[in-house]
Amino acid sequence: MKENIKVGMLGLGYIGLPTAALIALKNMEVVGIDINKDVVETINRGEIHIVEPELDALVSSVVMSGKLRASQNPEQADVFVIAVPTPIRDNNQPDISYVQSATEMILPYLQPDNLFIIESTSPVGTTEKMAELIYKERPELKGKLHIAYCPERVLPGNVIYELEHNDRAIGGIDETSTKKAIEFYRNFVKGKLYPTNARTAEMVKLVENSSRDVQIAFANELSIISDKAGIDVWELIELANKHPRVNILRPGTGVGGHCIAVDPWFIVSDFSKEARLIRTAREINNYKTEWVIEKIKNEALQFELAHKRKPRIATMGLAFKPDIDDLRESPSLYVARSLKMQDFDVLAVEPNISHSDEFDLLELDQAIQDADIVVFLVGHKEFKNLNLPTSKIVLDFVNITRE
Ligand code: SAJ
């Protein structure tokens, strides 16, 4: 690959923007291409439109230095990286139309020796499909492009560090593509780069998140069984984990976020007969959220019978996991919303956000003081070591009050 590499990053979201900024920091020229005019303008001002620690300073410095700029229009580059969303539709089928339209967008700009990489989480076979699409429209390029899949595996909240330090699996549609893609990532990744083929690399991403989903489902199922058996699930797991080869994860309000609750469906949709455990894990984790709602409602009903009025319920945490402000696919938000829709008096607390269109957020102390029932839905650090008055009914689904 030549010396001054120019990179076209398609999609400037949670993955595309930090990756583009990191590449620019390593002295490559990066043009970020996004269909959203506001996103393009925000980035060109050196600002950001998403929340991620350290990202604002990084973007501002590489925009100032002229290494990163954003545009709505594609242009020629040496490397194209696709980092657009691949959502699931209502029927749990993956939607790769953004990957396809991003690929179509750059078709006229592709040149011999270009490297085309997909990072978006994708069903197995997507990279080969895009290669077919490219060569159908630009047959003269056949055999002259390098095409690969390389999934990201960064944890929201720690993206900048993990982008640089995590190991990565990189799979080309042929061996030269794999080699060229590894050379490219070596410019900015300190982690190990493992070569494979495109189909395996696609499946690696899906399997990582499915594995976590299955393990969390096991913990969630144990919590439901233990409740029925009159056993403290936290003590149970702590003791079982003393075994040298057992490591049970934590039960909770359900599984949220835009990855673990989504990616397993990419396997289930293509392998519906075979992926029985993966599908069941999804169902168990979704059911756990409904189970939590039922538990709260039962407690509220008991209160109403005893006190002849509806209880005020403080819901502690709305984010999808501890110590972040991300509400996407959040089971806790779903619980609070569902209680509110069923006419319960919900006092919502979320220390990581300052404003919600949906809830009048309360300060922690105020909510506890005003509430009859205090429900812990997320293990935010602010919820540790609280002095909870004994008069309050406490439902702690994440064990944060005992940590
Ligand atoms: N959760 C539990 N119990 C646990 C651990 C997690 O209930 O013991 C819940 C969390 O509360 C949350 C959900 O699971 O609702 C997911 O949180 P997470 O921290 O496990 O993962 P994400 O969604 O923030 O990021 C994941 C990561 N994947 C894995 O750990 C295998 C990350 O590395 C991926 O890059 C990311 O998905 C992604 O983009 O795919």
Side-chain angles (χ1 to χ4, degrees):
M1 202 172 293
K2 64 180 192 182
E3 272 295 287
N4 300 314
I5 304 167
K6 177 176 168 189
V7 179
M9 175 66 66
L10 284 105
L12 294 171
Y14 278 84
I15 297 303
L17 180 57
T19 309
L22 180 66
I23 297 172
L25 186 70
K26 303 287 166 171
N27 248 345
M28 285 174 263
E29 180 190 346
V30 185
V31 53
I33 301 145
D34 201 291
I35 52 172
N36 186 321
K37 187 163 168 261
D38 293 337
V39 168
V40 167
E41 287 174 357
T42 307
I43 293 166
N44 283 334
R45 282 197 307 271
E47 294 164 15
I48 58 173
H49 60 291
I50 51 180
V51 184
E52 177 61 40
E54 295 172 42
L55 184 62
D56 45 355
L58 178 60
V59 168
S60 138
S61 92
V62 288
V63 169
M64 294 276 273
S65 72
K67 283 290 173 192
L68 172 66
R69 67 192 158 80
S71 169
Q72 278 182 280
N73 306 310
E75 53 190 80
Q76 287 186 341
D78 302 299
V79 182
F80 290 98
V81 181
I82 310 273
V84 295
T86 43
I88 44 167
R89 302 195 203 107
D90 288 344
N91 54 3
N92 294 324
Q93 298 294 319
D95 174 3
I96 61 162
S97 60
Y98 297 108
V99 173
Q100 188 160 335
S101 56
T103 306
E104 283 164 352
M105 197 180 190
I106 57 164
L107 272 176
Y109 302 93
L110 289 170
Q111 295 165 287
D113 212 32
N114 272 179
L115 177 57
F116 172 91
I117 299 170
I118 303 177
E119 284 209 6
S120 310
T121 303
S122 300
V124 172
T126 303
T127 310
E128 290 168 354
K129 253 192 210 150
M130 291 308 115
E132 258 172 52
L133 188 155
I134 293 170
Y135 291 139
K136 186 161 166 268
E137 299 299 322
R138 301 281 312 270
E140 79 282 8
L141 289 175
K142 190 141 192 163
K144 296 185 179 142
L145 297 178
H146 310 297
I147 299 179
Y149 183 80
C150 177
E152 55 73 25
R153 37 169 64 145
V154 292
L155 199 69
N158 198 25
V159 168
I160 306 292
Y161 177 85
E162 293 204 2
L163 263 183
E164 199 171 355
H165 293 90
N166 285 0
D167 297 345
R168 299 185 76 135
I170 301 181
I173 55 164
D174 51 42
E175 274 183 25
T176 324
S177 297
T178 309
K179 207 174 124 247
K180 292 279 179 189
I182 286 185
E183 271 171 30
F184 168 63
Y185 279 97
R186 190 121 39 225
N187 289 316
F188 61 97
V189 173
K190 291 193 179 125
K192 290 202 184 91
L193 304 173
Y194 294 100
T196 179
N197 57 46
R199 295 176 78 82
T200 308
E202 287 161 344
M203 191 60 126
V204 163
K205 168 72 184 187
L206 304 179
V207 161
E208 286 168 3
N209 282 345
S210 301
S211 154
R212 195 148 168 88
D213 199 41
V214 169
Q215 291 178 59
I216 299 170
F218 182 70
N220 277 332
E221 185 162 292
L222 285 184
S223 72
I224 296 170
I225 293 170
S226 299
D227 185 72
K228 200 164 183 182
I231 290 170
D232 177 349
V233 70
W234 300 97
E235 186 192 1
L236 174 75
I237 291 175
E238 192 186 335
L239 293 176
N241 283 350
K242 301 285 182 210
H243 185 290
R245 285 173 297 282
V246 173
N247 185 16
I248 303 170
L249 294 183
R250 302 171 63 91
T253 309
V255 169
H258 38 287
C259 310
I260 295 184
V262 174
D263 296 0
W265 291 120
F266 284 48
I267 301 180
V268 175
S269 84
D270 280 342
F271 305 94
S272 63
K273 260 170 80 186
E274 295 81 5
R276 286 156 46 185
L277 180 62
I278 298 172
R279 181 206 309 269
T280 305
R282 269 298 57 246
E283 287 165 358
I284 291 169
N285 285 331
N286 283 343
Y287 170 67
K288 181 65 195 287
T289 313
E290 303 295 339
W291 184 88
V292 165
I293 295 171
E294 280 311 304
K295 278 266 151 201
I296 301 169
K297 279 166 58 182
N298 279 341
E299 205 60 56
L301 197 65
Q302 304 278 343
F303 181 95
E304 201 173 337
L305 285 173
H307 296 84
K308 309 283 174 260
R309 67 169 174 87
K310 278 197 150 195
R312 286 173 301 253
I313 306 173
T315 55
M316 312 297 272
L318 295 175
F320 87 82
K321 66 176 187 175
D323 305 323
I324 58 163
D325 63 352
D326 196 338
L327 302 184
R328 288 178 297 171
E329 316 291 331
S330 170
S332 312
L333 178 64
Y334 181 86
V335 170
R337 184 179 284 158
S338 164
L339 293 171
K340 192 178 164 196
M341 272 164 41
Q342 294 176 59
D343 278 337
F344 286 99
D345 194 355
V346 173
L347 314 174
V349 175
E350 179 42 79
N352 297 292
I353 56 176
S354 52
H355 169 78
S356 152
D357 287 338
E358 200 174 340
F359 294 97
D360 295 324
L361 296 178
L362 265 80
E363 290 297 327
L364 183 62
D365 296 340
Q366 189 66 52
I368 292 174
Q369 193 185 319
D370 294 353
D372 303 298
I373 303 177
V374 184
V375 181
F376 290 89
L377 300 170
V378 191
H380 289 319
K381 61 181 186 314
E382 290 83 354
F383 302 157
K384 279 183 194 165
N385 305 318
L386 290 176
N387 263 331
L388 292 164
T390 47
S391 58
K392 310 289 174 185
I393 299 163
V394 175
L395 293 176
D396 181 359
F397 295 102
V398 288
N399 205 35
I400 189 74
T401 53
R402 294 196 297 181
E403 282 196 352

